[in-house]
Structure formats: structure tokens, C-alpha cells
Amino acid sequence: MKTIFEISKPGRKAYTLPQSDVPGELMESLPSRFKRENPLRLPEVSEVDAVRHWTNLSQLNYHIEKGFYPLGSCTMKYNPKINEETGGLPGFTEIHPLQPTSSVQGALEIMHKLGQMMSEITGLPTVSFQPVAGAHGETTGLMLARAYFESKGENRESVLVPDSSHGTNPASTTLSGFKSEKLSSNERGLVNIDELEEKMDEKVAVFMLTNPNTLGLFESNLKRIVDIVHKKGGLLYLDGANLNALLGIMNPGKVGFDIVHLNLHKTFSTPHGGGGPGGGGLAVRDDIEPFLPVPIVKKGDSGYYLDYNYPHSIGKIHSFYGNFNVLVKAYTYLLMLGSKGLRRVSENSIINANYLKESLKDDYELPYKQPAMHEFVLSGSKQRKLGVKTLDIAKRLLDLGFHAPTIYFPLIVTEALMIEPTETESKETLDAFISAMKRIADEAVNEPEALKNAPVTTPVRRLDEVKAARELKVRHTWDTENE
Ligand SMILES: *Cc1c(COP(=O)(O)O)cnc(C)c1O
């Protein structure tokens, strides 16, 4: 396929701009060092060429609007189009973060009301939307923990992180100045309570738990865990990136969690992939509130306002108020569903995951057999014995029209395949995926070469997966005579 620069023809255009209202003298008076010497080389194409170009490009890649995308831990649910509709309203897209608050009351109202909803969902009183990703929420949460213990004159240096946790947990721990200490999982894939009890002392600031954990299992010993952590004065952190299984079912604040981060771009249906933009809301218990990033949106007698009066705040962790447009989309999603609808999201995501798990457990090794929450983990170890790697299985799925699950994570399962169907898929779609997985299990026995050569139907075959990251080249190069 040609690049848009290659289909460019001088003089073609897809736009009609109004006459410039910047006076000519003003342009003339710009210092020459700010002016281009040569005109910017932009592609010149007609509207239909531009539309076809982008439509064709979108077909080269796999995406949620093309098909089933069971990427575990990523919650690739379908994002309803109405979110885009409200997110695109000019009243939201044409405001400036430095406008007087009296002129952006609607925007502040949305942030405030979304905060109240998230507070209800998490059971914790105050929410900040300044973090713009899950990992950013984690780092912020741990910075709050640091400020909290410093204010009490306590010197706590480490954070306990289960070995099944998302890689961002130990990374955020290190980034916020703590030492991360690994906690092993027991034979059922859950927190090893004896080890927790042994490691939890007055030097530990935070126990960072993911629930459901990355094996898709519910940590059933929560009361014990809360008691052990709180008895030593520590804080219990919930990595709530995967809250999709808990909506309206478990209230983290009531259970005893002190800090929770949410991924608006997973659970609350704002688009993700390709690096953003995201939203990593952070909910905290009331004695941690004084340390939150500023400002917090509040409601006073004369309307909504931005409260900067937090003398113990950790400061700012992002420009302005976070990714505002993501908040509009998440708010729309919550209003459309209501509290009953929200609970059904979780019920259906759990049913879908368990349906797939039960349907595939004879074809693939299922290392943890108890009922799953919103996702589950299979192992390709049986296939590995036949010389077929989990990577081959994932690539073959692309040929059969499906995005691959997350593979080789969590690290504690060999040849892991982490499957999260989400609630937005029909039984017919799930059945088609089951057939594809069964066919692959069969091919591993009878035609392993088909798997080792996959994919054969995609625009590109197997890519060098590290080259793009190590040698990032995002600029189109052509003849550069005039540049
Ligand atoms: C996705 C995820 C994160 C990180 O979220 P990002 O927005 O990608 O930074 C953290 N923990 C878990 C369990 C996740 O699934």
C-alpha cells in the first residue's frame, strides 16, 4: 500500500479554508527566525483519496471494531459510539483550561459528578482524575502513601507486591522511591497468607494487591489480608485496573482498601491502545485526601470551583486536570448504564470468561481450576511438548480472524494464554473463538507446520518485535534535495 505522500499530486486538496483574518502586516512583522524557508511539504490529496487512504489503513490492522479482541488484563470491550458523540460536543472540545471557572461550570460539574460516581463505586470518599494512565495512578497513589507516612514521622521503605502482579506495580514502586518486595502465590494462585504475615512489618508502607488477580482469580482471604496489613499500620492498595469484574458486586472501600486506582480506559469504555489517551482515576480514604494532587473540583454556594487549598498536597502530576475528554466519555458510559446496568457488565464479563474456560479446558492445560472472574489463564504446555509455542498459537489466531490473547503473562504460568472476553461479546462470537482454539489444538497434533508458519493471511507476517521499539522510525523519508 502506498503512503499518503506517494499518492499526493500538486494542487489537489480536500479542504476549503475561510479567508485568513490575520492582517498581512502582522505576518510580515514576524521575526524571520520564526518563518519557514521552504513551504512545509504536506500531502496534497482530494477528500475521497484521503478517506480511502485512512479506511484502507484501518483494515490493515486488527481492532475492536473489526473483531473479537480477548487481550487479557486489557479489557478490550466495545466502546459505545455515544461516548464519542458527547466527547465531541463543542462545549467540551472548544474550552480552554485557563478559562475562568464561571465560564466552564458544565465541565466542572461533569468532573465533580464523575468523582461522586467513582466514589460510590470504590467506596472511598475522594477521587482525583489527574493521573492519565493506570501506571500513573499507581505512582501517584504510592507518592501519596509516602507523603502520608512522612507526615506521621514514620520511615517506611518498602512495598509488598505479589509475583502475579502487573509489571507496572514494581515499576511504580521503584519510581516513587520505595523498595519493592515480592510475595509468592500459593498453589491455588492466591496470596500466600503466611508469607504476607511474615513480611508485613512496620517497615512496609503498602501492600499492593490486584483483585481479581492477574490469573483472573478472586482473592478470597480479604478479611485476613486487611487485618494483617492494618495491624502493622500499613496501607492496602487495590490495583483496580481490572474493576470490570467487581462493579456493583464488591465495594473496595467497605472491604478495607485505602487507595484504589481505576483505568477509565479499560473498565469505563474509553478507547485505548496505541498509547492513549487514558484516565487513571485515584480514590483514597479520607486521611489521605490532604496529600492529593491539586486542584480538586468542589461544589460551593456559587457553583463549582477548583480547590487549590491543599497545603500538604504532593503537587501536580499532570498539566491542568488530567485528560478531560476521557472523563466526559466515562461519565456518558456510566449515565447510559445506571447502577443496574453496571452490575450486569460485571455479571456478563464473568459468565463469558467462565464459558470460554469450561469450553477450552480439555484442549489446553488449565493450571488453576477454580471459577474465574472476568478472565482466566490457560497454558500452552501440552502444545509445547509437540514443538508448538504459545507464540505460534497466538499468530495462528490472527489467520483465523481473531486478535490473540495476552501471552507469556502472568509470568508464573508457563506458556501462558490470558483470555479476557469482556461482556460486550455475543455467545455466537464466543463459540466461533472456541472453534478456532479447538482447531488450533488439533493442528498442533496433526499439522504443526501450519502453526509455525502462521500468520499467512495478514498484511505482514512475523515481525521483529523489538526492532520497532529499539530503532523507532516514524518519519517518512524520501528524496531530501530541498530540505
Ligand atoms: C493495564 C493494567 C495496569 C496499567 O495500566 P496502564 O493504563 O496501561 O498504565 C496496571 N495493572 C493492571 C492489573 C492492568 O491490567
Side-chain angles (χ1 to χ4, degrees), residues 411-434:
L411 305 175
I412 55 176
V413 173
T414 57
E415 301 290 322
L417 286 145
M418 184 193 212
I419 301 174
E420 178 179 12
T422 84
E423 72 284 1
T424 55
E425 302 301 331
S426 66
K427 180 166 177 297
E428 291 72 24
T429 302
L430 301 181
D431 286 337
F433 178 71
I434 293 166

PDB file of all heavy atoms in Angstrom, residues 411-434:
ATOM      1  N   LEU A 411       3.689 -14.143  34.598  1.00  0.00           N
ATOM      2  CA  LEU A 411       4.948 -14.869  34.471  1.00  0.00           C
ATOM      3  C   LEU A 411       4.948 -16.203  35.206  1.00  0.00           C
ATOM      4  O   LEU A 411       5.765 -17.072  34.905  1.00  0.00           O
ATOM      5  CB  LEU A 411       6.099 -13.993  34.994  1.00  0.00           C
ATOM      6  CG  LEU A 411       6.200 -12.606  34.334  1.00  0.00           C
ATOM      7  CD1 LEU A 411       7.286 -11.774  35.014  1.00  0.00           C
ATOM      8  CD2 LEU A 411       6.471 -12.716  32.845  1.00  0.00           C
ATOM      9  N   ILE A 412       4.029 -16.354  36.169  1.00  0.00           N
ATOM     10  CA  ILE A 412       4.062 -17.572  36.978  1.00  0.00           C
ATOM     11  C   ILE A 412       3.411 -18.765  36.272  1.00  0.00           C
ATOM     12  O   ILE A 412       3.413 -19.865  36.806  1.00  0.00           O
ATOM     13  CB  ILE A 412       3.420 -17.357  38.373  1.00  0.00           C
ATOM     14  CG1 ILE A 412       1.997 -16.822  38.243  1.00  0.00           C
ATOM     15  CG2 ILE A 412       4.269 -16.405  39.209  1.00  0.00           C
ATOM     16  CD1 ILE A 412       1.277 -16.686  39.578  1.00  0.00           C
ATOM     17  N   VAL A 413       2.864 -18.561  35.064  1.00  0.00           N
ATOM     18  CA  VAL A 413       2.325 -19.685  34.289  1.00  0.00           C
ATOM     19  C   VAL A 413       3.181 -19.865  33.045  1.00  0.00           C
ATOM     20  O   VAL A 413       3.395 -18.909  32.306  1.00  0.00           O
ATOM     21  CB  VAL A 413       0.855 -19.415  33.877  1.00  0.00           C
ATOM     22  CG1 VAL A 413       0.347 -20.502  32.925  1.00  0.00           C
ATOM     23  CG2 VAL A 413      -0.042 -19.320  35.103  1.00  0.00           C
ATOM     24  N   THR A 414       3.669 -21.099  32.815  1.00  0.00           N
ATOM     25  CA  THR A 414       4.499 -21.296  31.614  1.00  0.00           C
ATOM     26  C   THR A 414       3.605 -21.275  30.390  1.00  0.00           C
ATOM     27  O   THR A 414       2.472 -21.754  30.419  1.00  0.00           O
ATOM     28  CB  THR A 414       5.241 -22.649  31.618  1.00  0.00           C
ATOM     29  OG1 THR A 414       4.252 -23.668  31.739  1.00  0.00           O
ATOM     30  CG2 THR A 414       6.225 -22.763  32.758  1.00  0.00           C
ATOM     31  N   GLU A 415       4.124 -20.719  29.301  1.00  0.00           N
ATOM     32  CA  GLU A 415       3.385 -20.667  28.029  1.00  0.00           C
ATOM     33  C   GLU A 415       1.969 -20.101  28.222  1.00  0.00           C
ATOM     34  O   GLU A 415       1.005 -20.595  27.651  1.00  0.00           O
ATOM     35  CB  GLU A 415       3.316 -22.065  27.385  1.00  0.00           C
ATOM     36  CG  GLU A 415       4.670 -22.704  27.080  1.00  0.00           C
ATOM     37  CD  GLU A 415       5.426 -22.017  25.937  1.00  0.00           C
ATOM     38  OE1 GLU A 415       4.792 -21.599  24.965  1.00  0.00           O
ATOM     39  OE2 GLU A 415       6.666 -21.891  26.053  1.00  0.00           O
ATOM     40  N   ALA A 416       1.877 -19.043  29.028  1.00  0.00           N
ATOM     41  CA  ALA A 416       0.548 -18.536  29.414  1.00  0.00           C
ATOM     42  C   ALA A 416      -0.230 -17.935  28.246  1.00  0.00           C
ATOM     43  O   ALA A 416       0.320 -17.288  27.356  1.00  0.00           O
ATOM     44  CB  ALA A 416       0.721 -17.481  30.505  1.00  0.00           C
ATOM     45  N   LEU A 417      -1.550 -18.180  28.283  1.00  0.00           N
ATOM     46  CA  LEU A 417      -2.507 -17.543  27.377  1.00  0.00           C
ATOM     47  C   LEU A 417      -3.582 -16.938  28.275  1.00  0.00           C
ATOM     48  O   LEU A 417      -4.337 -17.666  28.913  1.00  0.00           O
ATOM     49  CB  LEU A 417      -3.179 -18.579  26.480  1.00  0.00           C
ATOM     50  CG  LEU A 417      -2.378 -19.194  25.339  1.00  0.00           C
ATOM     51  CD1 LEU A 417      -2.783 -20.640  25.149  1.00  0.00           C
ATOM     52  CD2 LEU A 417      -2.621 -18.392  24.070  1.00  0.00           C
ATOM     53  N   MET A 418      -3.633 -15.615  28.339  1.00  0.00           N
ATOM     54  CA  MET A 418      -4.527 -14.951  29.289  1.00  0.00           C
ATOM     55  C   MET A 418      -5.707 -14.379  28.513  1.00  0.00           C
ATOM     56  O   MET A 418      -5.551 -13.458  27.709  1.00  0.00           O
ATOM     57  CB  MET A 418      -3.725 -13.844  29.956  1.00  0.00           C
ATOM     58  CG  MET A 418      -4.437 -13.109  31.033  1.00  0.00           C
ATOM     59  SD  MET A 418      -3.445 -11.646  31.373  1.00  0.00           S
ATOM     60  CE  MET A 418      -3.767 -11.455  33.100  1.00  0.00           C
ATOM     61  N   ILE A 419      -6.878 -14.942  28.766  1.00  0.00           N
ATOM     62  CA  ILE A 419      -8.026 -14.664  27.898  1.00  0.00           C
ATOM     63  C   ILE A 419      -9.114 -13.865  28.628  1.00  0.00           C
ATOM     64  O   ILE A 419      -9.619 -14.288  29.665  1.00  0.00           O
ATOM     65  CB  ILE A 419      -8.619 -16.000  27.386  1.00  0.00           C
ATOM     66  CG1 ILE A 419      -7.521 -16.765  26.619  1.00  0.00           C
ATOM     67  CG2 ILE A 419      -9.837 -15.761  26.505  1.00  0.00           C
ATOM     68  CD1 ILE A 419      -7.925 -18.154  26.188  1.00  0.00           C
ATOM     69  N   GLU A 420      -9.451 -12.711  28.077  1.00  0.00           N
ATOM     70  CA  GLU A 420     -10.496 -11.868  28.670  1.00  0.00           C
ATOM     71  C   GLU A 420     -11.511 -11.514  27.591  1.00  0.00           C
ATOM     72  O   GLU A 420     -11.257 -10.643  26.755  1.00  0.00           O
ATOM     73  CB  GLU A 420      -9.879 -10.581  29.246  1.00  0.00           C
ATOM     74  CG  GLU A 420     -10.932  -9.654  29.819  1.00  0.00           C
ATOM     75  CD  GLU A 420     -10.368  -8.366  30.425  1.00  0.00           C
ATOM     76  OE1 GLU A 420      -9.190  -8.044  30.218  1.00  0.00           O
ATOM     77  OE2 GLU A 420     -11.156  -7.685  31.115  1.00  0.00           O
ATOM     78  N   PRO A 421     -12.675 -12.165  27.603  1.00  0.00           N
ATOM     79  CA  PRO A 421     -13.620 -11.912  26.509  1.00  0.00           C
ATOM     80  C   PRO A 421     -14.389 -10.588  26.642  1.00  0.00           C
ATOM     81  O   PRO A 421     -14.812 -10.047  25.629  1.00  0.00           O
ATOM     82  CB  PRO A 421     -14.575 -13.096  26.595  1.00  0.00           C
ATOM     83  CG  PRO A 421     -14.488 -13.583  28.003  1.00  0.00           C
ATOM     84  CD  PRO A 421     -13.112 -13.258  28.494  1.00  0.00           C
ATOM     85  N   THR A 422     -14.558 -10.085  27.840  1.00  0.00           N
ATOM     86  CA  THR A 422     -15.400  -8.920  28.185  1.00  0.00           C
ATOM     87  C   THR A 422     -16.878  -9.231  27.981  1.00  0.00           C
ATOM     88  O   THR A 422     -17.244 -10.208  27.332  1.00  0.00           O
ATOM     89  CB  THR A 422     -15.082  -7.601  27.422  1.00  0.00           C
ATOM     90  OG1 THR A 422     -15.741  -7.605  26.160  1.00  0.00           O
ATOM     91  CG2 THR A 422     -13.593  -7.364  27.295  1.00  0.00           C
ATOM     92  N   GLU A 423     -17.716  -8.337  28.481  1.00  0.00           N
ATOM     93  CA  GLU A 423     -19.162  -8.534  28.456  1.00  0.00           C
ATOM     94  C   GLU A 423     -19.797  -8.171  27.128  1.00  0.00           C
ATOM     95  O   GLU A 423     -20.960  -8.479  26.897  1.00  0.00           O
ATOM     96  CB  GLU A 423     -19.807  -7.701  29.571  1.00  0.00           C
ATOM     97  CG  GLU A 423     -19.829  -6.186  29.331  1.00  0.00           C
ATOM     98  CD  GLU A 423     -18.480  -5.501  29.536  1.00  0.00           C
ATOM     99  OE1 GLU A 423     -17.499  -6.202  29.859  1.00  0.00           O
ATOM    100  OE2 GLU A 423     -18.416  -4.269  29.353  1.00  0.00           O
ATOM    101  N   THR A 424     -19.054  -7.507  26.231  1.00  0.00           N
ATOM    102  CA  THR A 424     -19.737  -6.987  25.045  1.00  0.00           C
ATOM    103  C   THR A 424     -19.817  -7.995  23.893  1.00  0.00           C
ATOM    104  O   THR A 424     -20.240  -7.642  22.797  1.00  0.00           O
ATOM    105  CB  THR A 424     -19.070  -5.681  24.537  1.00  0.00           C
ATOM    106  OG1 THR A 424     -17.686  -5.914  24.301  1.00  0.00           O
ATOM    107  CG2 THR A 424     -19.206  -4.544  25.539  1.00  0.00           C
ATOM    108  N   GLU A 425     -19.408  -9.246  24.128  1.00  0.00           N
ATOM    109  CA  GLU A 425     -19.436 -10.234  23.045  1.00  0.00           C
ATOM    110  C   GLU A 425     -20.640 -11.170  23.150  1.00  0.00           C
ATOM    111  O   GLU A 425     -21.038 -11.560  24.238  1.00  0.00           O
ATOM    112  CB  GLU A 425     -18.145 -11.054  23.076  1.00  0.00           C
ATOM    113  CG  GLU A 425     -16.880 -10.215  22.945  1.00  0.00           C
ATOM    114  CD  GLU A 425     -16.821  -9.399  21.647  1.00  0.00           C
ATOM    115  OE1 GLU A 425     -17.409  -9.836  20.635  1.00  0.00           O
ATOM    116  OE2 GLU A 425     -16.189  -8.322  21.647  1.00  0.00           O
ATOM    117  N   SER A 426     -21.166 -11.546  21.994  1.00  0.00           N
ATOM    118  CA  SER A 426     -22.318 -12.451  21.970  1.00  0.00           C
ATOM    119  C   SER A 426     -21.856 -13.896  22.105  1.00  0.00           C
ATOM    120  O   SER A 426     -20.669 -14.206  21.895  1.00  0.00           O
ATOM    121  CB  SER A 426     -23.058 -12.302  20.643  1.00  0.00           C
ATOM    122  OG  SER A 426     -22.218 -12.756  19.598  1.00  0.00           O
ATOM    123  N   LYS A 427     -22.808 -14.785  22.398  1.00  0.00           N
ATOM    124  CA  LYS A 427     -22.458 -16.207  22.513  1.00  0.00           C
ATOM    125  C   LYS A 427     -21.929 -16.735  21.180  1.00  0.00           C
ATOM    126  O   LYS A 427     -21.013 -17.552  21.149  1.00  0.00           O
ATOM    127  CB  LYS A 427     -23.684 -17.011  22.963  1.00  0.00           C
ATOM    128  CG  LYS A 427     -23.387 -18.485  23.099  1.00  0.00           C
ATOM    129  CD  LYS A 427     -24.465 -19.226  23.860  1.00  0.00           C
ATOM    130  CE  LYS A 427     -24.147 -20.718  23.901  1.00  0.00           C
ATOM    131  NZ  LYS A 427     -24.133 -21.358  22.572  1.00  0.00           N
ATOM    132  N   GLU A 428     -22.479 -16.233  20.072  1.00  0.00           N
ATOM    133  CA  GLU A 428     -22.035 -16.684  18.746  1.00  0.00           C
ATOM    134  C   GLU A 428     -20.551 -16.358  18.535  1.00  0.00           C
ATOM    135  O   GLU A 428     -19.800 -17.167  18.010  1.00  0.00           O
ATOM    136  CB  GLU A 428     -22.867 -16.032  17.633  1.00  0.00           C
ATOM    137  CG  GLU A 428     -24.314 -16.503  17.555  1.00  0.00           C
ATOM    138  CD  GLU A 428     -25.188 -15.997  18.697  1.00  0.00           C
ATOM    139  OE1 GLU A 428     -24.859 -14.941  19.301  1.00  0.00           O
ATOM    140  OE2 GLU A 428     -26.202 -16.652  19.010  1.00  0.00           O
ATOM    141  N   THR A 429     -20.151 -15.155  18.958  1.00  0.00           N
ATOM    142  CA  THR A 429     -18.743 -14.775  18.812  1.00  0.00           C
ATOM    143  C   THR A 429     -17.863 -15.664  19.681  1.00  0.00           C
ATOM    144  O   THR A 429     -16.805 -16.138  19.250  1.00  0.00           O
ATOM    145  CB  THR A 429     -18.550 -13.295  19.208  1.00  0.00           C
ATOM    146  OG1 THR A 429     -19.388 -12.500  18.376  1.00  0.00           O
ATOM    147  CG2 THR A 429     -17.110 -12.849  19.041  1.00  0.00           C
ATOM    148  N   LEU A 430     -18.316 -15.907  20.924  1.00  0.00           N
ATOM    149  CA  LEU A 430     -17.527 -16.762  21.818  1.00  0.00           C
ATOM    150  C   LEU A 430     -17.405 -18.169  21.229  1.00  0.00           C
ATOM    151  O   LEU A 430     -16.330 -18.778  21.258  1.00  0.00           O
ATOM    152  CB  LEU A 430     -18.165 -16.826  23.213  1.00  0.00           C
ATOM    153  CG  LEU A 430     -18.333 -15.493  23.951  1.00  0.00           C
ATOM    154  CD1 LEU A 430     -18.957 -15.725  25.327  1.00  0.00           C
ATOM    155  CD2 LEU A 430     -16.997 -14.763  24.110  1.00  0.00           C
ATOM    156  N   ASP A 431     -18.510 -18.677  20.662  1.00  0.00           N
ATOM    157  CA  ASP A 431     -18.478 -20.026  20.076  1.00  0.00           C
ATOM    158  C   ASP A 431     -17.507 -20.097  18.899  1.00  0.00           C
ATOM    159  O   ASP A 431     -16.803 -21.095  18.733  1.00  0.00           O
ATOM    160  CB  ASP A 431     -19.889 -20.446  19.628  1.00  0.00           C
ATOM    161  CG  ASP A 431     -20.767 -20.796  20.830  1.00  0.00           C
ATOM    162  OD1 ASP A 431     -20.213 -21.129  21.902  1.00  0.00           O
ATOM    163  OD2 ASP A 431     -22.007 -20.726  20.702  1.00  0.00           O
ATOM    164  N   ALA A 432     -17.472 -19.034  18.103  1.00  0.00           N
ATOM    165  CA  ALA A 432     -16.548 -19.025  16.964  1.00  0.00           C
ATOM    166  C   ALA A 432     -15.098 -19.046  17.450  1.00  0.00           C
ATOM    167  O   ALA A 432     -14.244 -19.730  16.884  1.00  0.00           O
ATOM    168  CB  ALA A 432     -16.810 -17.792  16.100  1.00  0.00           C
ATOM    169  N   PHE A 433     -14.835 -18.319  18.533  1.00  0.00           N
ATOM    170  CA  PHE A 433     -13.480 -18.308  19.101  1.00  0.00           C
ATOM    171  C   PHE A 433     -13.121 -19.692  19.654  1.00  0.00           C
ATOM    172  O   PHE A 433     -12.004 -20.192  19.454  1.00  0.00           O
ATOM    173  CB  PHE A 433     -13.390 -17.243  20.202  1.00  0.00           C
ATOM    174  CG  PHE A 433     -12.048 -17.182  20.877  1.00  0.00           C
ATOM    175  CD1 PHE A 433     -10.935 -16.690  20.219  1.00  0.00           C
ATOM    176  CD2 PHE A 433     -11.890 -17.624  22.194  1.00  0.00           C
ATOM    177  CE1 PHE A 433      -9.679 -16.632  20.832  1.00  0.00           C
ATOM    178  CE2 PHE A 433     -10.646 -17.576  22.824  1.00  0.00           C
ATOM    179  CZ  PHE A 433      -9.543 -17.074  22.141  1.00  0.00           C
ATOM    180  N   ILE A 434     -14.086 -20.317  20.323  1.00  0.00           N
ATOM    181  CA  ILE A 434     -13.849 -21.674  20.858  1.00  0.00           C
ATOM    182  C   ILE A 434     -13.493 -22.622  19.712  1.00  0.00           C
ATOM    183  O   ILE A 434     -12.528 -23.394  19.804  1.00  0.00           O
ATOM    184  CB  ILE A 434     -15.099 -22.179  21.632  1.00  0.00           C
ATOM    185  CG1 ILE A 434     -15.292 -21.345  22.900  1.00  0.00           C
ATOM    186  CG2 ILE A 434     -14.977 -23.663  21.974  1.00  0.00           C
ATOM    187  CD1 ILE A 434     -16.655 -21.507  23.566  1.00  0.00           C
TER     188      ILE A 434
END
